[in-house]
Amino acid sequence: MPLMAVSSPPFSFPSTPSCTRHLRRATIAAAASSASDGFDYPLADPSVRWPRLRFPHLPAPRFPAADSAPPPAPARPSREREPADAEDAPAPSASASAAVAVEPLDARAHRGRVKKLSKLALRRARDWRERVSELADRLLALPPGAPVAEVLDEAWVSPDELAYVVRAVGAASWRRALDAFEWPVASGAAGPGPRVVAVVLGVLGRARQDELAEEVFLRFSGEGATVQVFNAMMGVYARSGRFDDVRQLLDAMRGQGIEPDLVSFNTLINARAKSGSLAPGAAFDLLLEVRQAGLRPDVITYNTLISACSQGSILDDAVAVFEEMIGSDCRPDLWTYNAMVSVHGRCGAAQEAERVFVELLEKGFKPDAVTYNSLLHAFAKEGDVDAVERVCEELLKAGFKKDGITYNTMIHMYGKMCRLDLALALYDEMRAIGCTPDAVTYTVLIDSLGKVDRISDAGKVLEEMADAGLKPTLVTFSALICAYAKGGRRDEAERTFDRMVASGVKPDRLAYLVMLDIIARSGETKKLMALYRTMMKDGYRPDDTLYQVMLSALAKGNEYEEIEGVMQDMEVVCQMNLQLVYSTLIKAECISQGATLLKKACLQGYEPDSKSLLSILDAYETMGKHEEGLSLLQCIREHVPSSHNLISECSIMLLCKNQKAVAAIQEYSSMQTLKRGSSGRDYNLYEYLISCLEEAELFSEASQVFSDMQFVGIEPSHKIYESMISTYCKLGFPETAHHLMDEAVESGIWINTLSSRVTIIEAYGKTRLWQHAENFVKGLKQESGVDRRIWNALIHAYAESGLYEHARAVFDVMIKKGPLPTVDSVNGMMRALIIDGRLDELYVVVQELQDMGFKISKSTVILMLEAFAKAGDVFEVMKIYNGMKEAGYLPNMHMYRSMISLLCRNKRFRDVELMIEEMGGAGFKPDLAIFNTLLLMYTGNGNFDKTVELYHSILEAGLEPDEDTYNTLIVMYSRDMRPEEGFTLLNEMGKRGLTPRLESYKSLLVASGKAKLWEQGEQLFEEIRSKGYRLNRSLCHTMMKMYRDSCSHSKAEQLLAAMKEDGIEPTIATMHILMTSYGTAGHPDEAEKVLDSLKSSSLEVGTLPYSTLFDAYLKNGEYNLGITKLMEMKTDGVKPDHQVWTCFIRAASLCERTDDAILLLNSLQDCGFDLPIRLLTERSSSVLTEADNFLEEIEALEDSAALNFVNALEDLLWAFERRSTASYIFQLAVNRSIYHHNVFRVIEKDWGADLRKLSAGAALTALTLWLDHMQDASLQGSPESPKSIVLVTGEGEYNMVSLRKTIRAYLLEMGSPFLPCRTRSGRFVAKSYSLKMWLKDSPFCMDLELKDAQALPKMNSIKLTEGYFMRAGLVSTFKDIHAQLGEVWPKKFSRLALLSEESRAEVIKADIQGRKEKLEKMKKQGLVMSRKYKKGTQRAKFVREQSTQAILK
C-alpha cells in the first residue's frame, strides 16, 4: 500500500537567505492554519527536503490497497512559485524569466548564495527586512475584526513593500493577508499591482481557498494582467490537480495576447502530474507542446516530467525522458538522478536503482538524504532486509542521520512483512533519538497494524497522532478505514469516514470505493445510495467491480428503482458499453435487468458472450422462469446471425454447470455440426463437457466426445489432456493415457507431467499390468531419472498384484541409490502383504524396518489395523490399537470409525459404548458414518429404543441424516411394528431427494400387511414398481399375502399375471398364497381350481396346497367337503403330514359343537393319526408319552412345524376344557424349546411374561401358570418382585386371532390390576402391590390349578368374536356392559359380570344416574370445564403428514 506515494509540488528556491526566516515561521504557523510554506533546500532539514512529506495543504494522493510505499518522485521546483516567493528583487519580466529558465542548476545555486554587499546596501537591506517584519507582526497582532488601515495608513507602504508584507502575513493568516491586499482599494488609492495580485493568489492557493483566488483573479485579470498573474492562478489550480482548468487558463492567456513562458508550461506539466497517474506517452506529448511553443525545456521541465513518470510508475517513459534530456544538452542535476533512482525503485527494479546511484557518484554528484532514502525504498519494496541495512549504514557513514522518511520506509517494510515487532522497535528507536514521528509514520503504523488484524491498536495510533498535534491526512484515514473494512468492523469504518469528512479532509476515489463496498455488503441501501450520489457529485466514478457489489446489495433489498438509476449512470455518466453493463448486472444477480440490456444489445448488433448468456439461462432455470429464457433465446435467434451454435453450446454448458451430465450428452448428440474455430467457443464447450462427464464418471461418453473433438480438428487444452488421461486410466486403458501424455508433451502443451505419470503407473497397477508399469519406469530412468513419487507409484502397482518381493526390491533400490523411501513407500510394501493375505508377516516386516532405522508411522499402523479389521480379527485389532496409544499415536476419526465398525459387526456392545466414550474424551464427536453403524447394530439386535435414542443424538449433533440413516430407521420401525413412522421417514427421504433401498421397501411392506394398512401397502408397492425397482418373487409373495389378508383375491390374481409378464415364474408357495387368499375371501371353490391347475402343471404338488384347500372349506363351515377333499388327497397319492394335522386340529378348535370337532378329529384317525382325538377323549399317561414322541419327530422338520402344531393343539384342549392336558403339553413344548424358556420369569426376580408367538389357547394356559407362580412367590416372599410387572403380548395375530385382545378380555373377566401400557403397545403393566393383593383376595385366584373337565362339554367353551377369543358365556355380558358404560376398570367389570341380568341392569342404571347427579353438582359449583373435542385425522393422512421428530419423541 503506497502510504507515502505522493510527490511535492514544484517549489522555487528562495532568492536570498533572508527568506529562510519567513519560511520557518510559516512552517510553524501551518499547523494551525493549514497554510503552506516554501521549500527549503538545505540538508539541515531533510524531512522537508524529502518530497514524500505530507503537508495539510497538499492534494491527497490515491491510496491503492496492495502496493508498497514508494518514495514520491523528486520534483524540481517549478517557476509557478517564483512571483510569490521573490523577496529581494522586483518582479522579473517575461524575458528575464525565460533567461533564467535555461540556467543550469549549479548557476542557480550560485545565484542563490549571499552576495557581498556594501555596508550601505547591507544596512538598507537590513532596515527593509526589519520594516517588513515589523509591519507583518503588527498586522498579525491586530484583534479579530480590526481594520488593517490602522497599521498600513501610517506606514506609507509602497506597492513593492505591500507584496512582501502580504506574503509574510499570508504565511500565518490568509484572511489578514487578504485584508492587506484589499487595503489600497479600501483607502482610495490605486488598485494593487500585478505583483501583489500574484502574491495574494499564491497565498490563497496554499490555503486551499480556490474560490477566493478565482474571484481575485477575475477582478484583476483584465488590462494590466501579466504572465506572472496567470502563472500564479495556474499554480492555484495545479496545486489541486485541476489540469483542465490550467489548460483553459493557458488558452485564455493566449487569448489576451500574453505569451506563456516556460514557467507556465512547467505549471501545466505539474498540474497534469497531480491530476492523477500519468498515462504512458503523455510525458512526451507535454514535452512536444513546450517545444511547439518555441521554448526550450530546462532542467525543471525534465525533472517535473520524470517525477510525474515516477509517481505513475512509468519506467519506460521516465528512461526515455532522461535520454531526451541528455540528447538535448540539458545537464541532469542531483534532483534528476534522485528522480531516476525513485522511479526504478517504484517499479521494482532495485538493481537498476543501485546502478543509477553508482552512475550518480561517477558523475561527481554527492548523494543527499533523498538519494539514500530513495535507494533504501527500492530495496525495502522488494523486502531485501540485508540491502536496506547496508544502505542505512552508508547513509550514516555519509554524515546523514536516519530521518523520519528513513524510519517510515523501514517501518513500512517490516509492517508489510508482518514483522510488527521490528516495526514497533524502529518506532520506539525513532522517538528515542528525538526524531518526531510525522503523519507518514503514524499512517504506516496504522496500515501495518491493520494488515495483521490489530485493528484496535490501529485506532489507538490514530488517537496518538491527534494527541501529538498532527492532523490525519487522507492516507491516514484511508489506511484505518481499510483496516476496519478488512476486519469486518463496519461501524468503526463509518465513524472514521465521518470523522475524516468532519475534519475537512475530502475523500478521494479510493475512500469512496472502500466505504461503498462496506455499506453495500451491510445491506443498508439508503445509506449506500446517499454516499454514491455524493461520490458522483465530487466527480469520482466507481468501476465495474464496485458497481457489481452495489447492484447486488440493491437487488437483495429489492430496490428496483435505484437499480434503474445506477444502470442509467453506468450508460450515460460513465459511458460504459452495453456489454460491460449487462455483464455487470448479471454478475450482481440482477437477472431481469441484465436480460433486458442483453436484448437491447442484440438489437443494436452486439453479439452476446456465451458466459453472460449462460448465467442468465442458469438463473432463469433456477427461478423456474422457462418462458423468459425461451423468449431471450428467440430474440437472439432473430437478431444475431449464426446464433444456432451459440444457443446449443450455451445449453450444453448450462447443463454441465448444473451437473446434468446425461442431459448434456443428449443435447450434444442432437447438435448437427460444430464449426471449427468459431471464436473459441468450441474449445470451451468441449472442456466443459469432458470435465462434466469425467466428474459424473461417464468415462465412455467422455472418450467419445474427445474423439469427436479430434475429428473436427480442435486442439485439446491442457485441462482436456489432463481430464482424458485421468479418464482413460479410470476406464482401464493406461496405454491410451500414456500415448496422450506423450502427445501433449510433444505439442508443447504444459500439463502436470509428474502427476500424469503417477496416474498412469497406478492405472497399470490396478489393471494388473505391472510389467507395463515396470517398463514405463525403466524408460523414465533412462531419460531423466526417477522421482520419488514414481517409485512409490511402482511399489503400489506391485502391491495391487500382491507382489511383495517386487515391491521390496524397489524399496531396496531407493535405499541404495535414492531418493530415500517415504512413509508411502513403506505403506505400499505393507499393502502388498495385505493383498496377498500374508497378514502374519506384517509384524516381521515392521521389525525389519525398525532395525533399519525407520520409524513406523501412524498411517502404516492404521493400514495394519484396517487389514485385521477387515479380516474380523478383533484380538489383533485391539492389540494394535492399544500399542498405538502406548506409542503416543493418538487415534484419528478414521481409526475410530474402523474400530467401531468392527466391534459392531461382532456385536461387542459394551466395547462399542466404551469406544464412544473414549472418542468423547479425546475431543472427537461421532460422525454420521459412526452413528449409522450404531443404528445398524442396535436395529439388528432388536434394541429399538436405543436406535431411536441414537437418532435423537444425530439431530442434536446438527448432522444431516443420509440414505443409510433413513433406510436403517425404516427397517427398525418395520420390525417394531410401527409402519406409520416408517412411512413418514419414507416421505422425508423423498423430500430430500434420497433413494430408499429395496430392503427398506420390503420391510415396510411386510409391516404394513401385519398392521392392516392395506391401502398404504398397496400404494407403496405401486411406488416400488413406478421407480423401476426390479421385482423379485419374495416381494410379490409379500404383496399377495397382503391381498390375502385383506380378502382382495382379485388383486392377487392380477399380481400373479403381472409376475408372469415380468418373467417371475410362480412356485408352489405362490399358488399357496393365492389359494389362501381365496379361502380367506370365502371362495374355496376358486382355491380348488387353483389346486387343479397345479395338478395339471409340471410342479410337484405336496401337502401345502391341499392344506390350504382344506383350510378354506373348514373355515367356511363345510366340514364334510373338507373331509372329502382329505380322502381325495389320499387317493391322489399324497400322504398327509403335520401340515394337514395342524389344519384339521385348528379347525376343530374353532367348531362351536363338540360333535363337529370330533368328526374332524376322527377323519384324522381314519388317515392314521389318532393323537388329537385320544388327547381329547382319553386320560391315560400313554397318550401323553406318544405326544412327547410325536413332538420329537416334528421338531426335526421345518422351523415352525412343531410350533404351529402345539399352538393348534393348545387351542383345541383349552376350547374343550382339557386344561390339565393343555398344561402338560405346554410344559413339553417348553422343555423341547418349541416355546422359549422365558415365557414367564418369576424365578429370575423379573416376574414378567412374554406371550408372543403363542396361540390364544397356549397364551391362556401360560397366563394361568404364570399367575399361579406369582401367587406362590407372593405368599412365600421369594423371589422379590419389582415395582412394576410387565406382561408382553405384542400386536401380532396368530391365525387371524389377536393375542392382545384375547388376554385383555380374560384379564377383564378376572378383575386383574393389569392395565394397557401407555407408552408401548402390546404390553400390560401392573403395580406389584396391587397384583399381590389381587392374587391374595380375588375369588378368581382361589384355585389357579388347571384341571380337565369330567366330560367333554357339548359346546366350545370359547368363542371367536371381533378377531379375539372370549369365554362363550361372557360375550353377551361383555357387549351389554360396554354398550352402556363404555370402558370400565377391570375390577368393576368383574363385579358386574358376576351379577344376574336383573341385578346388573339395576346397578348400571344406578351408576349412570349417579354420574349425572355428580356432574350436575359439579356444574353448579363451577368445577366443570367445557371440553372442545377436535376430530382426529384419519390414520392414512396421519402417516403422510406427521414429521420425523414428532414420531421419534
Side-chain angles (χ1 to χ4, degrees), residues 1012 1293 1295-1302 1305 1359-1366 1371-1372 1374-1376 1378-1379 1383:
K1012 296 184 180 180
E1293 294 183 352
N1295 288 320
M1296 310 298 288
V1297 176
S1298 172
L1299 179 61
R1300 179 183 65 82
K1301 294 181 179 179
T1302 300
K1359 186 174 182 179
L1360 183 63
T1361 174
E1362 297 182 4
Y1364 63 95
F1365 282 121
M1366 181 181 291
V1371 173
S1372 59
F1374 180 85
K1375 291 181 179 180
D1376 184 31
H1378 275 263
E1383 286 286 340

Side-chain angles (χ1 to χ4, degrees), residues 451-501:
K451 287 179 178 177
V452 295
D453 294 331
R454 292 177 59 176
I455 304 172
S456 299
D457 293 338
K460 294 177 182 178
V461 171
L462 182 66
E463 300 301 329
E464 290 181 13
M465 183 179 181
D467 295 341
L470 293 174
K471 183 178 179 181
T473 64
L474 174 62
V475 179
T476 311
F477 282 117
S478 297
L480 188 57
I481 290 172
C482 288
Y484 283 136
K486 180 182 176 183
R489 300 170 69 167
R490 179 177 60 85
D491 295 336
E492 288 88 340
E494 290 186 16
R495 284 196 294 268
T496 304
F497 183 82
D498 295 339
R499 179 178 175 181
M500 176 179 69
V501 175

Side-chain angles (χ1 to χ4, degrees), residues 112 135 153 201 232 298 305 381 492 526 1000-1001 1030 1094 1239 1327 1375 1391:
L135 288 173
D153 284 346
L201 288 176
D298 66 352
L305 286 171
K381 183 174 181 180
E492 288 88 340
K526 292 184 179 179
S1000 304
Y1001 277 120
R1030 185 176 180 181
L1094 274 176
V1239 174
K1327 297 295 182 181
K1375 291 181 179 180
R1391 189 170 60 251

Side-chain angles (χ1 to χ4, degrees), residues 58-105:
L58 293 181
R62 297 180 64 191
F63 193 77
D67 201 2
S68 62
R76 166 60 77 186
S78 172
R79 297 297 178 86
E80 61 169 307
R81 303 266 313 263
E82 282 191 359
D85 294 348
E87 294 182 356
D88 294 343
S93 63
S95 61
S97 299
V100 174
V102 295
E103 282 185 323
L105 179 63

